[in-house]
Amino acid sequence: MGSEMCIRDIGSMIMHAAEKAGTYIPHFCYHKKLSIAANCRMCLVDVEKAPKPMPACATPVTQGMIVRTKSDKAIRAQKSVMEFLLINHPLDCPICDQGGECQLQDLAVGYGGSSSRYEEEKRVVAVKDVGPLISMQEMSRCIHCTRCVRFGQEVAGVMELGMSHRGEHAEIETFVGQSVDSELSGNMIDICPVGALTSKPFRYSARTWELSRRKSISPHDSTGANLIVQVKNNKVMRVVPLENEEVNECWIADRDRFSYEALNGDDRLASPMLKQGGQWKSVDWQTALEYVANGLKQVKADHGATSIGTLASPHSTMEELYLAGQLMRGLGNENIDYRLRHAEFPAAEGVRYLGRPIASLSQLQRVLVVGSNLRKDHPLFAQRIRQAARVGCAVSAINSEACDWALPIANSMVTSSAGWAQALADVAAAVAAEKGVTPPAAGQATEAAQAIAKSLLGGERKAILLGNAAAHHGKASSLLALANWIGKQTGASVGYLTEAANTVGAQVANARPGTGGKHAGDMLAGGLKVLLLLNTEPLFDAAGGATSARSAGQSQMVVSLSPFKANMAFSDVVLPISPFTETSGTFINAEGRVQSFHAVVKPMGETRPAWKVLRVLANLLGLQGFEFESTKDVLDQISGALSDGGSRVQASLLGNETGAAIDLGPEAREPVVASIYQLDGIVRRASSLQPVSYTHLRAHETPEHLECRLLLENKKPAAPRSSLPSSRVSML
């Protein structure tokens, strides 16, 4: 289709056929993930026997059709459209944040005139404030392609932007001055072709040609979104999506996009610190690590190895989690756990995971979600299920409240978390009645249960998905056992949405207690003499909240490894470790996909990668098997658990089966689930994210959550702790 080509892709649009043929047709409003609008008319092409140029994005291919994209007729039409688009455009490229990556700018070079025939006054659009993430300061640049409007309706599921007025007075705006609060809103910035929507945190901070672009992986939820981290002068300036159809498509959630603010914030820890006489003192790594090593040796000698424990974050890399576990086992105990928000700690039966590929969520015909605020907990998973719902997927839910997932809910059972097991038993009873089999537990085939059962018994592609609240439930094993029975009878896959970036990786790395080891609940109940906190804050990350923090503070020595000034109220030592942008490592997402990444910037100050810190600490303790020179060496130690050249977790290890007995008794404890922008330490410290969905965060707060937030906002002075050691060793 260069100058002339016969098209054989009958039924598709000319634009799609051109893409297949490798021919570029200029466009603005067309986007491969959005519906056809044909607003901009920039894609006009010359179709033989057509009386006028036709829009390539909205003209279907017919038998024998001949399309010319470079004919005089097509070029004249495209240039005329460009002249119209530039009539009201402010032509402010020198100060525009979109400059250098602007479609309008690029196409104006080829299709724009050297001067404008328009001499009248240009239209000016009033400035709009739509929240802390998206800037609508320059809406005069808007060409009304409506990509942002369609994205909200079709992908985010929320029509937060729309077009008001007509003709020259038309403009894109929110409803009655509302803000844009969608958890996917930042993608509107990416798809805007002209710089009308720009990133407010990034605004005027750098030009695109000054930025280096480096690949990375999101450290937040379990999607494992692929990222492009843009860097200037060894500082992260912006984060945008890296397209991967099998994982995140071309989208990322706002917490993936804007959390980088915390990496450059005032709360970063730049050097090791020890508490001396109740005051924090900066020291070098030699002193800090010797202090920790000597403390561990002394406690082990006085109280035994079992008095030492490690709580690790599932947002840490697999290498860090593996070495933390090996450190504890080298000391002679199994006291390591990543499940800080869990209420039940069953013995390991397999690596819990999604149960199916992430990409397959878009093709589901039936889905039951249990114990999840899907839209807030897993925005990109919700987006995929939303696409399935748009083409007929029946979505059912069992939750403690009716949540707005921005997608149609076919069937719903709203009951307190204490009744979730019974609700699943009721669904199982309804399935059993339909199939004439014996149910696994006593249940009533209520009308709501029957509706969910009939839904799951229909269709071909179906799944039962257990959310964060179901995983953290006091009867999580019973919920899983019931879900497995229902899945077996209906042909539905069963899986966990999984909470964190490395929940699956933590299981593969064996960052959980073995025989005789204390789990997170035991360790946070008190009694340990030494507590190591790897990239976690019990105040915000543990089920007990403030209670857990107080229990942790009762230990004889608390060592915090964190990129931030975390746990300062009760720690004795804080060691600055690298966030994901300053270290290499590996995350395993919900489907079991292994994704390694490299550092994109140099460590800040005296910050060191956590795997190096753990390795040196083990060397000081005289432990064997810690002769690692890189994260690849560490990963090679775990390679037996991986397959397909290290890109997947071995299928034999993955499994959601359970032999647990079903218990329908009441469960008084409410499952503890982090709010969308409180999930981990990086997100919590991203200043632009915190005002977003302010009322939603507060509406779901418990008194302890409120206490935690107030403590974070009003940092209390630390209590006096142990003194500085005198001797030093050489390391790092």
Side-chain angles (χ1 to χ4, degrees), residues 88 123-125 144 163-173:
N88 281 307
R123 176 192 70 163
V124 176
V125 179
H144 304 147
M163 184 178 291
S164 62
H165 312 300
R166 299 186 67 179
E168 188 179 62
H169 303 290
E171 57 183 279
I172 302 293
E173 58 185 347

Side-chain angles (χ1 to χ4, degrees), residues 263 268-272 285 289 313 315-317 320 533-536 560-565 574-583 603-604 606-614 682:
L263 306 176
R268 281 295 303 271
L269 184 65
S271 65
W285 276 101
L289 286 180
S313 168
H315 300 276
S316 302
T317 68
E320 295 164 359
L533 301 173
L534 175 59
N535 204 24
T536 189
S560 290
L561 291 81
S562 174
F564 307 103
K565 298 172 184 175
V574 289
L575 305 176
I577 61 171
S578 300
F580 77 105
T581 52
E582 300 170 17
T583 184
M604 188 185 81
E606 293 298 311
T607 297
R608 296 289 184 270
W611 72 269
K612 285 188 178 182
V613 176
L614 293 166
I682 298 177

